Amino acid sequence: MVITEDNELTLYVWYRSSCAARVRLALAHKQISYRPIGVNYHDKQHHGDEYAKMNPSKSVPTLVVQAAGRNPEYIAQSLAAIEYLEEAYPDAPTLLPPKHDLLQRAKVRSLAHIIALDLQPVTNSRVVERLRDIGTDHLAWSQYFEVRAMGAYENSIRESAGKYSVGDNVTMADICLAPAVWNCENHGVTLDHFPTVQRVYRNLMDLDVFKKGQYNAQPDCPGEERLGV
Ligand SMILES: N[C@@H](CCC(=O)N[C@@H](CS)C(=O)NCC(=O)O)C(=O)O
């Protein structure tokens, strides 16, 4: 597909999905317009055959890229979607350090992976639901892995963080971190033992992109939970 900023973008989301939040935050940071479509998670719409044609893993998010006169293309992994946006919109605000700064780019990706590859897969709802089915304390399970991941993140940035996780610009690492902290908050895991993460998180939450990207600021968030951000 020819890469063009004229592509129309659609993002399939669920308001409480941390993976969907990453792409939502990336789009907002880059000021790229798109159409959000809420997936009905409780009805397991994302497990249906129609959705699976776009996202064979049956998970959210899915970024749909529609170029004029072509068939839509589906990006069914959040990090791949963010990297696509990074490459397809080179003039938009970036989420990675400059191209020549290979080690800093690797640092950002490593932090993103602590959240997206080490933490999220073991606390994903399909895992938690299975644990509940077999009578395991699923909350304690999630808390355990969240504390581990926040510890790894803290130790990775303690000496090197700037205003944000890597330096003073928001990166893909921060985009992954904030939704993971929202999940920690929902599970009663505090950041008291992770002071650098806590400071970075507070700086992120001062930004409009993160305030407006919160779970309870989304249009598909039920009324009783919704914030007026
Ligand atoms: N590696 C995927 C993970 C996607 C994922 O697991 N999404 C979760 C929400 S954060 C989901 O849809 N879970 C529903 C399920 O597993 O049935 C990504 O980064 O996009």
Side-chain angles (χ1 to χ4, degrees), residues 11 21-34 82 85-86 89-97 108 164 166 168-176 204 207-213:
L11 185 65
R22 289 174 204 147
V23 183
R24 173 167 79 232
L25 291 168
L27 285 159
H29 174 82
K30 292 178 170 296
Q31 298 161 22
I32 299 170
S33 59
Y34 69 103
I82 295 171
L85 296 173
E86 194 67 20
Y89 296 81
D91 298 329
T94 178
L95 284 167
L96 283 168
V108 167
Y164 305 115
V166 178
D168 293 331
N169 294 317
V170 171
T171 63
M172 193 164 84
D174 301 304
I175 294 279
C176 291
L204 292 170
L207 302 173
D208 241 31
V209 162
F210 285 81
K211 280 187 197 141
K212 291 187 177 150

Side-chain angles (χ1 to χ4, degrees), residues 76-93:
Q77 286 286 334
S78 62
L79 294 186
I82 295 171
E83 295 264 4
Y84 164 79
L85 296 173
E86 194 67 20
E87 290 172 348
Y89 296 81
D91 298 329

Side-chain angles (χ1 to χ4, degrees), residues 52-206:
K53 285 182 195 155
M54 299 189 289
N55 186 320
S57 299
K58 302 184 174 182
S59 54
V60 285
T62 303
L63 181 67
V64 186
V65 181
Q66 176 73 68
R70 290 176 182 263
N71 290 329
E73 301 277 347
Y74 304 107
I75 307 178
Q77 286 286 334
S78 62
L79 294 186
I82 295 171
E83 295 264 4
Y84 164 79
L85 296 173
E86 194 67 20
E87 290 172 348
Y89 296 81
D91 298 329
T94 178
L95 284 167
L96 283 168
K99 287 219 166 79
H100 65 266
D101 211 339
L102 297 181
L103 287 172
Q104 286 295 86
R105 288 164 79 86
K107 172 107 189 170
V108 167
R109 291 186 171 114
S110 299
L111 291 168
H113 291 184
I114 289 176
I115 305 295
L117 305 187
D118 295 348
L119 172 61
Q120 190 276 336
V122 287
T123 53
N124 190 7
S125 54
R126 73 181 63 170
V127 173
V128 169
E129 281 161 20
R130 181 73 189 124
L131 290 170
R132 200 178 43 211
D133 289 349
I134 61 173
T136 303
D137 183 346
H138 54 88
L139 178 59
W141 170 281
S142 294
Q143 289 168 332
Y144 172 81
F145 285 108
E146 284 166 347
V147 168
R148 274 190 69 118
M150 289 300 145
Y153 204 102
E154 172 72 26
N155 292 337
S156 305
I157 65 168
R158 187 174 290 137
E159 308 297 329
S160 58
K163 191 168 181 190
Y164 305 115
S165 298
V166 178
D168 293 331
N169 294 317
V170 171
T171 63
M172 193 164 84
D174 301 304
I175 294 279
C176 291
L177 176 66
V181 174
W182 300 336
N183 289 351
C184 287
E185 286 173 347
N186 287 340
H187 296 149
V189 171
T190 72
L191 297 180
D192 295 349
H193 298 295
F194 315 115
T196 321
V197 171
Q198 190 166 47
R199 179 176 62 74
V200 165
Y201 173 68
R202 286 190 179 141
N203 289 338
L204 292 170
M205 292 310 296
D206 281 341

Side-chain angles (χ1 to χ4, degrees), residues 39-41 43-59:
V39 168
N40 190 329
Y41 211 74
D43 289 352
K44 299 247 180 266
Q45 197 185 343
H46 56 302
H47 287 187
D49 292 344
E50 275 310 300
Y51 187 78
K53 285 182 195 155
M54 299 189 289
N55 186 320
S57 299
K58 302 184 174 182
S59 54

